[in-house]
Amino acid sequence: MVKEITRDIKQLDHAKRHLTTSITTLNHLHMLAGGVDSLETMTRKRQYGEVANLLQGVVNVLEHFQKYMGIPQIRQLSERVKAAQTELGQQILADFEEAFPSQGTKRPGGPSNVLRDACLVANVLDSRIKQEIIKKFIRQHLSEYLVLFQENQDVAWLDKIDRRYAWIKRQMVDYEEKYGRMFPVDWCMTERIAVEFCHITRNDLSKIMRTRAKEIEVKLLLFAIQRTTNFEGLLAKRFSGSTLSDNVVKKPDPQPPVSTNPFLDDDMNDSMTEESVLDKDSDLDKPKKHKLPENPFHGIISKCFEPHLYVYIESQDKNLSELTDRFVGDFKAQGPPKSTSEDAGAVLPSCADLFVYYKRCMVQCSQLSTGEPMIALTTIFQKYLREYAWKILSGNLPKTSSSSSGLTITSLLKEKEGSEVAKFTPEELCLICSILSTAEYCLATTQQLEEKLKEKVDLTLTERINLTGEMDTFSTVISNSIQLLVQDLDSSCDPALIAMSKMQWQNVEHVGDQSPYVTSIIFHIKQSVPIIRDNLASTRKYFTQFCIKFANSFIPKFINHLFKCKPISMVGAEQLLLDTHSLKTVLLDLPSIGSQVIRKAPASYTKIVVKGMTRAEMILKLVMAPHEPSVVFVDNYIKLLADCTTETFQKILEMKGLKRSEQSTMLELFRQRLPAPPSGSSATLPTPTPEQESSRIRKLEKLIKKRL
């Protein structure tokens, strides 16, 4: 019933829709037919202004008839539109060829309104028409350049590269005045002319430099590169780079705070001063981001210079060699710093000069190339960092008169007992501290240099930049310097320790003030430590290392000489205990001895002194203790001394002056009373003392003799 009722309504709805579609299609057909007729007429009359608007409308209307292409009349209209487009394209190209012929001079009178409207039509036509117009115009516009700067012309060489850029600047100004309004703004014709000029120039320069490679000198090369990069920078300011296929435009990352360290400051300014010093507050742990160049034109011409940058690298090698030799000569001429000088213990000026030069080279080379030349420059940097470390730093560490190779443990062992040991002068101590401070500066700044090099170089090459070896070299210089300071102070105390071991302690009748040998040791400490502390004020951690190493060296040596004091009477042991306490007090005060500012000694240092000197005191207390009853004495020894070795126990018995038979009985008892390690667990071995090590060496020597 519903279908019957709505059947007539449904038919009317279909009829209305079909009628509306038919009327709309007929209107479009009328517009298309009229538009095609008008298009053909306007094309013949070159009325490009009207054609530009009409053609776009005709193309839009024709899209509605895509499903009716089976109708012959519609297909015919479509073919007429395509023919009109083809004719327009050929006609416009012919008009441009006539206005701007490939050969000969430009047509007088400049651009016309017809050509301007023709460009609007080209925007609607196939994109190949637009590209052909652009190509022909640019080729014609740069034809003069190709003639003026041919390879055989004098102005084509690098020394007159400025003329190339002056010529294109004039041409761009000329284009803006004459043809700026002829081409649509979105065609970016001025930028396209500049880009094509860059491509031609790069190819021409590459060719001529290959031909005349032997004539390229570093000054000439840098001059050409500087002028070229300046021109590329000018293009970046003037154009957006939208016509470059590989264009990357990126805002620069925020710059870090200004620092005096040449490698903590990321600007590209070459005017660096010699006042660069290490910025110790720089954050080395922040991840470094590789920045893409903000100049899209960077390298568009200057890339051609990269194959010839070996000239620049060789020049830097030569310059750094001369700079290193000059540093060596200057150091010899000036001599070591005076202990009273304000510069005593300061970083050597040559160090700052070296890294400022590195900074300048790195920035300059990164502007030329971020590829293999940067790796080659890094290799040069590594070479002269090592040379600086050995020639300027290690090579100028003071030598002692006892050995041409410097102060060594071997030379100390060969010193005659009781003889005066040659000490470093205050000036030599200042020099060692200065070299240590310089090595620390170099170590930190080399780390910054490595990170900056990785930022400048291509991402694919960052793994090839590694200055760890050079940093290790500077660490070695620091260690050697500290060791020299320790050995100097340690050896100066040797005569006093030898005098202590030769005293007749069994004949001491009463306990008095500290012994003369203690006074001598304190004198040497007060003479050297304040100089070292004041000159290492800027590197406090290395002064702490010096104190710790001295304590680790002196205290075992003192205990070793203590064992040589035999036999000892009760009064003699009391005197030695008093002397040991005096030395312990001085050693605890060592970091701030002779200073007006009293600082608490580092906990790590205090722990070493207390542990070592307490052991010496325990040894003397055991010497003072009665050895009868034997069991009590042995138990006290095991309780007071942690090492519990037979060798140490025997030495204490010898200090007490016991006979061989008594020693044998006591040693047997000691072995019986010595606690065994818990079953099922490995015994924790104590750290071997110097006397243990000496005993082991003697055992090894005896074993070798027996086998021989």
Side-chain angles (χ1 to χ4, degrees):
M1 184 187 298
V2 173
K3 286 184 180 179
E4 186 68 24
I5 293 172
T6 60
R7 184 177 64 237
D8 295 338
I9 298 174
K10 188 176 181 181
Q11 287 178 349
L12 289 173
D13 285 343
H14 283 306
K16 180 182 178 182
R17 186 165 63 251
H18 292 160
L19 184 60
T20 303
T21 304
S22 299
I23 293 172
T24 303
T25 304
L26 286 173
N27 283 335
H28 286 163
L29 181 60
H30 180 268
M31 291 169 59
L32 180 62
V36 171
D37 291 338
S38 299
L39 185 62
E40 292 174 341
T41 303
M42 292 176 183
T43 299
R44 287 191 295 271
K45 294 181 179 181
R46 284 182 164 77
Q47 296 176 345
Y48 296 132
E50 291 80 359
V51 168
N53 296 324
L54 180 60
L55 179 60
Q56 186 63 55
V58 169
V59 171
N60 292 339
V61 172
L62 188 59
E63 290 178 358
H64 294 284
F65 290 92
Q66 291 300 318
K67 57 185 176 180
Y68 303 118
M69 286 301 169
I71 302 173
Q73 290 85 348
I74 301 298
R75 187 167 60 251
Q76 184 181 3
L77 285 174
S78 176
E79 291 173 354
R80 287 175 64 189
V81 171
K82 291 180 181 178
Q85 288 177 320
T86 303
E87 184 181 354
L88 272 171
Q90 294 174 350
Q91 188 172 296
I92 290 172
L93 289 176
D95 290 344
F96 270 93
E97 180 65 30
E98 183 181 356
F100 305 103
S102 300
Q103 303 294 332
T105 58
K106 294 192 288 285
R107 184 178 181 179
S112 64
N113 292 333
V114 174
L115 295 179
R116 182 187 62 192
D117 295 338
C119 292
L120 299 177
V121 177
N123 266 339
V124 184
L125 296 174
D126 192 330
S127 60
R128 288 176 293 182
I129 303 299
K130 171 185 171 182
Q131 296 299 328
E132 187 66 23
I133 293 172
I134 292 173
K135 182 179 178 181
K136 285 188 175 183
F137 180 81
I138 293 177
R139 184 169 61 242
Q140 191 276 337
H141 210 68
L142 295 177
S143 58
E144 181 184 347
Y145 176 71
L146 297 174
V147 175
L148 290 175
F149 293 91
Q150 289 182 18
E151 185 179 351
N152 57 359
Q153 298 295 323
D154 183 53
V155 292
W157 188 229
L158 300 180
D159 59 343
K160 296 182 175 60
I161 200 169
D162 278 343
R163 299 191 183 183
R164 293 177 181 267
Y165 305 132
W167 183 90
I168 190 60
K169 290 175 187 176
R170 291 195 301 269
Q171 290 300 310
M172 288 192 290
V173 172
D174 180 67
Y175 166 82
E176 293 287 352
E177 293 177 352
K178 293 183 178 180
Y179 308 104
R181 297 182 180 180
M182 187 175 79
F183 295 99
V185 176
D186 61 331
W187 284 23
C188 303
M189 285 300 292
T190 312
E191 181 177 322
R192 291 180 186 275
I193 292 171
V195 170
E196 183 62 22
F197 165 83
C198 292
H199 292 324
I200 293 172
T201 302
R202 186 181 66 236
N203 293 334
D204 287 354
L205 289 175
S206 297
K207 184 178 179 181
I208 194 171
M209 283 193 292
R210 281 196 302 269
T211 305
R212 304 172 63 176
K214 294 182 179 179
E215 300 178 39
I216 300 177
E217 298 177 353
V218 65
K219 289 184 178 179
L220 178 63
L221 181 66
L222 291 178
F223 167 78
I225 291 173
Q226 182 186 15
R227 294 296 188 269
T228 302
T229 51
N230 289 346
F231 177 70
E232 291 172 348
L234 179 66
L235 293 181
K237 293 179 181 178
R238 175 67 175 81
F239 305 116
S240 66
S242 58
T243 62
L244 298 171
S245 58
D246 57 347
N247 173 50
V248 178
V249 181
K250 182 179 176 70
K251 291 185 178 180
D253 290 343
Q255 301 292 328
V258 176
S259 168
T260 52
N261 189 322
F263 301 107
L264 295 178
D265 142 41
D266 204 24
D267 62 19
M268 303 302 284
N269 187 4
D270 287 341
S271 58
M272 300 295 297
T273 67
E274 297 182 355
E275 300 174 357
S276 299
V277 293
L278 178 65
D279 183 4
K280 297 182 180 177
D281 297 328
S282 62
D283 188 2
L284 303 179
D285 297 325
K286 291 183 179 179
K288 304 295 181 180
K289 296 182 179 179
H290 288 268
K291 297 180 287 184
L292 295 175
E294 60 183 72
N295 178 3
F297 294 92
H298 177 71
I300 192 170
I301 300 176
S302 57
K303 197 75 175 175
C304 69
F305 297 111
E306 188 165 325
H308 304 276
L309 285 178
Y310 67 88
V311 177
Y312 171 78
I313 301 300
E314 290 173 357
S315 170
Q316 297 310 318
D317 190 355
K318 180 181 178 182
N319 291 344
L320 283 168
S321 176
E322 294 174 353
L323 190 64
T324 303
D325 292 342
R326 180 167 66 83
F327 289 159
V328 173
D330 290 348
F331 190 93
K332 290 180 179 178
Q334 295 172 3
K338 303 298 182 184
S339 59
T340 56
S341 170
E342 294 181 359
D343 296 332
V347 175
L348 297 177
S350 60
C351 177
D353 295 344
L354 179 69
F355 282 103
V356 167
Y357 188 84
Y358 278 179
K359 162 76 175 185
R360 188 175 297 117
C361 291
M362 179 184 66
V363 171
Q364 194 174 47
C365 189
S366 65
Q367 291 175 336
L368 310 181
S369 170
T370 56
E372 287 295 334
M374 283 292 287
I375 301 298
L377 185 67
T378 301
T379 304
I380 298 297
F381 285 174
Q382 290 175 300
K383 173 183 175 182
Y384 288 100
L385 282 173
R386 291 191 297 269
E387 284 207 11
Y388 187 86
W390 297 123
K391 288 186 177 180
I392 312 296
L393 301 182
S394 290
N396 287 304
L397 284 173
K399 308 293 190 300
T400 62
S401 58
S402 62
S403 174
S404 60
S405 60
L407 190 60
T408 63
I409 296 175
T410 306
S411 65
L412 291 176
L413 293 175
K414 290 182 179 179
E415 286 291 336
K416 293 182 180 179
E417 293 187 359
S419 63
E420 287 295 327
V421 180
K423 272 180 57 67
F424 290 139
T425 64
E427 287 75 18
E428 288 174 326
L429 291 176
C430 291
L431 175 60
I432 296 172
C433 294
S434 180
I435 289 175
L436 191 155
S437 300
T438 304
E440 185 204 23
Y441 174 92
C442 291
L443 175 62
T445 314
T446 300
Q447 185 178 358
Q448 296 289 348
L449 173 62
E450 180 184 73
E451 294 186 5
K452 291 301 176 184
L453 285 169
K454 287 183 176 180
E455 286 183 21
K456 302 293 183 185
V457 80
D458 291 339
L459 282 171
T460 55
L461 300 176
T462 51
E463 295 300 323
R464 293 173 59 184
I465 293 181
N466 187 353
L467 303 184
T468 305
E470 289 64 41
M471 288 187 271
D472 290 344
T473 301
F474 288 117
S475 297
T476 302
V477 174
I478 293 172
S479 299
N480 291 344
S481 300
I482 294 174
Q483 193 61 32
L484 267 182
L485 295 172
V486 170
Q487 289 177 353
D488 178 63
L489 181 56
D490 198 33
S491 63
S492 66
C493 298
D494 281 349
L497 293 177
I498 293 171
M500 175 190 79
S501 63
K502 288 189 173 184
M503 286 181 65
Q504 301 298 320
W505 292 101
Q506 74 274 22
N507 298 330
V508 176
E509 297 178 354
H510 62 274
V511 179
D513 294 334
Q514 63 188 27
S515 302
Y517 75 89
V518 176
T519 305
S520 175
I521 291 172
I522 296 174
F523 169 76
H524 288 300
I525 290 175
K526 289 185 175 181
Q527 193 178 40
S528 299
V529 172
I531 297 175
I532 296 171
R533 181 187 58 244
D534 294 344
N535 284 283
L536 294 181
S538 60
T539 55
R540 188 76 186 175
K541 62 180 179 180
Y542 292 118
F543 175 69
T544 302
Q545 283 188 27
F546 159 76
C547 294
I548 291 173
K549 287 190 176 184
F550 174 71
N552 280 327
S553 174
F554 174 79
I555 294 175
K557 185 182 289 188
F558 171 73
I559 293 174
N560 199 31
H561 280 78
L562 204 59
F563 284 133
K564 296 179 182 179
C565 299
K566 56 187 179 182
I568 305 176
S569 65
M570 179 66 69
V571 178
E574 290 178 0
Q575 180 64 50
L576 276 172
L577 188 61
L578 175 65
D579 294 342
T580 302
H581 182 73
S582 298
L583 284 175
K584 180 180 179 181
T585 304
V586 171
L587 289 174
L588 287 173
D589 191 42
L590 182 88
S592 58
I593 195 167
S595 173
Q596 295 179 352
V597 180
I598 305 300
R599 287 187 180 182
K600 186 177 179 180
S604 56
Y605 170 77
T606 303
K607 183 178 179 181
I608 292 170
V609 172
V610 170
K611 182 179 179 181
M613 296 306 289
T614 300
R615 183 171 185 271
E617 290 173 342
M618 292 300 104
I619 291 171
L620 291 171
K621 286 180 180 179
L622 285 168
V623 172
M624 294 167 60
H627 60 279
E628 295 291 345
S630 303
V631 175
V632 175
F633 180 77
V634 170
D635 288 345
N636 283 336
Y637 169 77
I638 295 172
K639 181 180 178 181
L640 292 176
L641 292 183
D643 54 349
C644 295
T645 62
T646 307
E647 291 82 4
T648 305
F649 186 66
Q650 185 172 1
K651 288 178 181 179
I652 292 175
L653 296 179
E654 291 174 355
M655 292 172 71
K656 292 176 70 67
L658 297 183
K659 298 177 181 180
R660 287 288 180 183
S661 57
E662 293 176 317
Q663 290 183 26
S664 300
T665 306
M666 296 287 283
L667 285 170
E668 185 62 30
L669 180 61
F670 169 72
R671 293 188 184 97
Q672 294 174 3
R673 304 288 294 178
L674 188 65
S679 60
S681 63
S682 59
T684 303
L685 297 176
T687 304
T689 60
E691 51 268 21
Q692 286 177 285
E693 291 291 345
S694 177
S695 176
R696 290 174 184 174
I697 293 171
R698 286 197 301 271
K699 286 181 179 179
L700 182 60
E701 289 176 348
K702 289 179 181 178
L703 181 62
I704 293 171
K705 288 179 181 179
K706 285 180 181 179
R707 293 193 176 182
L708 289 174

